[in-house]
Amino acid sequence: MHKIDLDLIEMTLDVMKHTIDRISKSDDKIGRPQKAETLKALVGETVTREGIGGETAFNLWKKHLMHANVKSDHPRHLAFVPAAPTRAAIMFDLVTSVSSIHGSYWMEGAGGIFCENEAMKWIVSLTGLPEGAFGVFTSGGTAANLSAIVAAREYWRSLNDKNKVEKGLIITSSGAHSSIKAMAKIVDVDVLLLETEDKLTGEDLKHAILGLTAHERQRLFAVVATGGTTNAGIIDDLEGIATICEAEKLWYHVDAAYGGGALVADSVRHLFNGIEKADSITIDPHKWMFAPYDCGAVLYKEPELAKKAHSQQGSYLDIFKDEGAHGFNPSDYQVQLTRRVRGLPLWFSLATHGTDRYKEAVEKGLELAVITGKLIESLDHVELVRAPSLSCVLYRRKGWTPNEYRDWTFTNHEKGFALVTPTKWKNGDAFETVSRFCFINPDTKENDILAILESMR
């Protein structure tokens, strides 16, 4: 099974070359899914007792299966929060995989972890967190948010014995990412969602805390603010919320999974003032830092508090924590024990291009949102729902029903033309179906945007 297959290596390099060549090309089809039964009819049985052989399997992938995926870095993929990894990052993701590095402990992965830490120093520097702050790479924002809230909960429990038997409570906004509610279920804490038309403010938080019962106040241990909501790019009042959290002695977590990349952009950095006061921060490099999936990050103001919460104990793990195995152990600071060195592709891309190029690329995404807002205002069949925020643009096609948005989405997707999906926005007392752009790829052109808008006529 471990025999070197030079033909397979050549096939891999061929696909990799094709992948790198087509990055950010608008004339390439975006890709579309197929039904499972359709794919089965095309490729047949692939996992058999005897095996079908590497060349056969690879050709099935290249001919049929790879085309049943959406290219997340396509210039007309503007749904959800897309990705746009650099060529350098994609290439080094392959190097990372074939290196077979166990990235949990310094004793086994010192070289890889060193590189991750170099990239992490840059990310931490963007936030303005105080000296001593640091973080680790995770599989994404959900794992990062989960790791942060576990650290917050364990710190709260350590404060007194009563907290150890209470069910904790956190506060966040209705615009917070779905993972906040999901991870609250995992750690078995309650969530108080504050309904906000726009950003969550310090006054909103103060009013909510004043409205709690004495028992609820005793259970409250953390507040989650958002540094760029997924739906609309809204940044909460990070400074005001920080002030309240400090006064109330609450753990302050900022979920900047999407928006955190904008910390590098001079034009919007001031919108994040207050993030430097957070106890923990989530940022996803596989979103707006041009790393491949899956690469998230969680940062801590006081990493030792996270280490107390996450460090796993076992006789088989003792050697990793011995003085002879000196070094930084990423597994001590987040929920995963076994982990790949997923920060390596980001490090290589940063080392290759320099941070100034990153700044330019993020600023381009911000510029595309502004350009799109003006373009929408110039057309008669569409209109803005709200002013663009970060790289998100919410707009409506005048007169359309939810079904028309849905049908338009699937029609463009089936054609391999674009992926732009509808979302919901609160309009008065009701939720309205609207359309949404999220710009990550700096190679998206104004012509791409105009073509998508014109397809709504």
Side-chain angles (χ1 to χ4, degrees), residues 27 36 56 79 123 128 130 132 177 189 216 228 234 264 272-273 309 326 342 348 350 362 366 425 447:
D27 54 359
T56 299
I123 295 175
H177 191 264
V189 300
E216 287 172 331
I234 296 170
V264 74
F272 292 88
N273 287 348
H326 54 82
R342 52 177 45 88
F348 185 75
L350 285 168
V362 172
L366 296 165
W425 183 254
N447 286 342

Side-chain angles (χ1 to χ4, degrees), residues 77-82 141-142 145 173-180 198 225-236 255-260 272 282 284 286-288 293 386 389-394 421-425 434-440:
H77 182 344
L78 303 175
F80 319 118
V81 180
T142 297
N145 285 332
S173 75
S174 56
H177 191 264
S178 58
S179 65
I180 303 299
D198 202 83
T226 305
T229 61
T230 302
N231 205 34
I234 296 170
I235 302 171
D236 287 339
D255 179 7
Y258 151 57
F272 292 88
T282 289
D284 276 359
H286 64 217
K287 291 188 171 78
W288 217 352
Y293 297 121
R386 68 187 307 276
S389 185
L390 291 183
S391 66
C392 286
V393 182
L394 294 182
T421 55
T423 188
K424 301 284 188 184
W425 183 254
V434 298
S435 193
R436 170 185 171 277
F437 290 135
C438 182
F439 297 101
I440 294 293

Side-chain angles (χ1 to χ4, degrees), residues 102-124:
H102 188 257
S104 297
Y105 292 101
W106 188 269
M107 182 178 180
E108 290 186 296
I113 295 169
F114 171 84
C115 294
E116 283 193 318
N117 289 353
E118 290 295 291
M120 183 58 67
K121 287 176 186 176
W122 175 69
I123 295 175
V124 173

Side-chain angles (χ1 to χ4, degrees), residues 370-386:
V370 174
I371 289 171
T372 301
K374 293 177 180 177
L375 189 58
I376 289 171
E377 290 177 331
S378 72
L379 299 172
D380 58 6
H381 67 293
V382 290
E383 63 184 2
L384 286 172
V385 170
R386 68 187 307 276

Side-chain angles (χ1 to χ4, degrees), residues 183-455:
M183 63 82 191
K185 289 181 182 179
I186 295 173
V187 299
D188 194 28
V189 300
D190 291 326
V191 181
L192 174 59
L193 285 179
L194 302 186
E195 290 293 335
T196 58
E197 291 284 346
D198 202 83
K199 66 182 180 181
L200 178 66
T201 68
E203 282 299 312
D204 294 331
L205 177 60
K206 182 179 180 180
H207 181 74
I209 293 175
L210 289 174
L212 297 177
T213 66
H215 184 229
E216 287 172 331
R217 178 61 190 86
Q218 197 274 325
R219 294 168 52 216
L220 179 64
F221 70 93
V223 174
V224 179
T226 305
T229 61
T230 302
N231 205 34
I234 296 170
I235 302 171
D236 287 339
D237 172 20
L238 303 183
E239 188 76 62
I241 294 171
T243 299
I244 301 299
C245 288
E246 184 178 6
E248 298 289 338
K249 295 180 172 56
L250 298 171
W251 185 285
Y252 181 30
H253 177 64
V254 177
D255 179 7
Y258 151 57
L263 288 164
V264 74
D266 295 336
S267 63
V268 296
R269 178 58 183 84
H270 63 283
L271 300 176
F272 292 88
N273 287 348
I275 197 171
E276 72 280 358
K277 299 177 182 178
D279 294 289
S280 53
I281 302 169
T282 289
I283 296 177
D284 276 359
H286 64 217
K287 291 188 171 78
W288 217 352
M289 289 182 173
F290 314 108
Y293 297 121
D294 54 354
C295 183
V298 57
L299 286 58
Y300 300 101
K301 181 167 67 177
E302 297 183 52
E304 282 302 310
L305 297 181
K307 188 175 183 179
K308 288 178 181 178
H310 291 292
S311 181
Q312 296 191 29
Q313 308 301 320
S315 58
Y316 44 85
L317 299 176
D318 288 345
I319 189 65
F320 291 115
K321 302 176 183 183
D322 188 273
E323 288 184 5
H326 54 82
F328 179 80
N329 298 324
S331 64
D332 287 341
Y333 301 91
Q334 39 84 55
V335 295
Q336 292 175 286
L337 180 60
T338 301
R339 66 182 289 276
R340 69 193 298 261
V341 278
R342 52 177 45 88
L344 265 184
L346 173 65
W347 164 78
F348 185 75
S349 184
L350 285 168
T352 298
H353 298 296
T355 59
D356 284 349
R357 295 295 299 278
Y358 268 67
K359 181 179 294 190
E360 292 170 13
V362 172
E363 290 282 13
K364 182 61 178 179
L366 296 165
E367 181 187 358
L368 285 168
V370 174
I371 289 171
T372 301
K374 293 177 180 177
L375 189 58
I376 289 171
E377 290 177 331
S378 72
L379 299 172
D380 58 6
H381 67 293
V382 290
E383 63 184 2
L384 286 172
V385 170
R386 68 187 307 276
S389 185
L390 291 183
S391 66
C392 286
V393 182
L394 294 182
Y395 67 100
R396 67 173 61 86
R397 167 57 167 88
K398 296 176 183 177
W400 268 14
T401 64
N403 285 345
E404 287 172 298
Y405 282 104
R406 181 201 63 200
D407 293 345
W408 171 77
T409 293
F410 285 124
T411 296
N412 279 339
H413 197 188
E414 285 292 317
K415 292 177 180 176
F417 168 62
L419 182 58
V420 181
T421 55
T423 188
K424 301 284 188 184
W425 183 254
K426 195 168 185 181
N427 187 359
D429 294 329
F431 283 92
E432 174 191 8
T433 299
V434 298
S435 193
R436 170 185 171 277
F437 290 135
C438 182
F439 297 101
I440 294 293
N441 195 332
D443 288 321
T444 299
K445 302 293 189 292
E446 187 172 340
N447 286 342
D448 293 313
I449 304 163
L450 180 59
I452 292 171
L453 292 172
E454 287 295 335
S455 72

